[in-house]
Amino acid sequence: MNNKFNKLTLVAAITAAFVSQAHAGGYQINEQSVSGQGYGHAGRSSNVHDATIVYGNPAGMSFLDRAQVTVGGTYLSVNTDISNAEASQSSPAFMQATGGLTDTLPVTGSNDGDMVPGTLVPFAFYAQPVNEQLAFGFGVYAPFGSSTDYEDGSQGRNQGNFTEVKVMTAQPTVSYRFNDQWALGAGITYNRVDGELHRQVPAATPLGLTEVDSRVEGDDEAWGYNLGVIYQPVPETTLGLTYRSKVDFNLEGSFSASSPVLDQLGIGTVTDTAALDLTTPETVNFSLTQQMSENLKLMFGASWARWSRFDQILVTGSDRPEFTNEQQNYENAWAFSTGGEYQLTPQLALRAGVALDFTPTQDSTRSVRIPSDDRRIFSIGAGWSPTPDLTLDFAYSYLTERSTRVDQTKTDSFTVAGQQTPPITSNYSADYKNEAHGFGAQLTYRF
């Protein structure tokens, strides 16, 4: 096998193995309102409290009595326990290298867990009523994102050891209130996605078995929209419905693969382009806000996301029309929440809520990059208004996930010039238990 063939083999096999993990699981972020976080986002589309309604339901801006700005964020701290981990690599090449003794070798490494770094999710919104019917607004927030950063010697490093995907959105919005009962709203969203993924890819070389540090980066910009309606049959009851469109991204970026063994072989760092189509799902949120008494209101919410759009990952490069075509088979997912707010004094409001968030992933395709399952979220919060113009909101959420298992397999092989590289199959399985704490704070100032 000559050096030219080795180089082409490594480019194709490593790229295919690595970029097939790109965006292996959509991850929706709910942190766009700390006031809403306090009651579990149960009244996201119906409870008009501050300028965060620009995201919750654009129709709600026309129910605000004056201009206001809301800024804040939620700090997320995630803890993960990994247990019962096993990993191996198998290949026909191992049988030859061991004199026919075995085709499977164990993969050693650590399973420290806690691979999700602490993250601050910020947001900012502005709402401007023009008159009793018309209002305009603007928001900047993060609707999707994920981040996992395993230790360098992670036992699951052959499946993926670093993932960072960020989607930031800017949204100009308009709202019109037809009468005391009906209001409509619409917003245009400008969205930017940035992603970076790392993986340690096993490769058989003339110098023996090695692992190659493979990395890909990409970004794109795309447009979307959202629509909202509010119906208030009586002053005490508010119904809200919000639709957020899908967003089609065409990520383009770069790929690199490096290893001391590649340097020794005279190959050096392998580079290429990488392209991936990604569609974030459309979502629908319905919520009800019911004023039970002068001081108490209760809320209920239901959300649906069309994750079934994410059925495969197709990655292409400049050298080859197709690096990988991998089935994902996500399922549509629901989330439900209920909560309440009690106005203890004219200056202080207390909140609490609970939510159930069902995962779109399936057991057969769950990845180390997003090893999540169904969630329960418990929240408490408070709003303090020292003056009629200023409100400070605080919230705390505790998230616990159902214990789940990752059982992931990846085979790295490719055909170049009619010849097949020795395939190496990496296996990793482990039990994951995730929990998270969210600490939120926001400020609203009314003009």
Side-chain angles (χ1 to χ4, degrees), residues 361-441:
T361 62
Q362 297 193 58
D363 293 343
S364 60
T365 54
R366 187 170 292 110
S367 167
V368 298
R369 296 194 183 277
I370 306 179
S372 61
D373 212 305
D374 298 340
R375 303 168 177 174
R376 292 170 293 170
I377 308 167
F378 306 92
S379 301
I380 57 174
W384 177 51
S385 301
T387 72
D389 298 332
L390 177 67
T391 298
L392 301 174
D393 293 289
F394 304 94
Y396 165 75
S397 298
Y398 172 70
L399 179 152
T400 178
E401 285 189 356
R402 185 177 67 175
S403 297
T404 194
R405 185 163 182 83
V406 170
D407 192 356
Q408 198 169 357
T409 298
K410 181 63 183 177
T411 298
D412 301 320
S413 180
F414 212 84
T415 302
V416 177
Q419 300 185 54
Q420 187 77 23
T421 66
I424 300 178
T425 299
S426 303
N427 302 285
Y428 178 75
S429 61
D431 295 324
Y432 280 74
K433 176 61 177 177
N434 300 314
E435 66 174 12
H437 305 270
F439 305 89

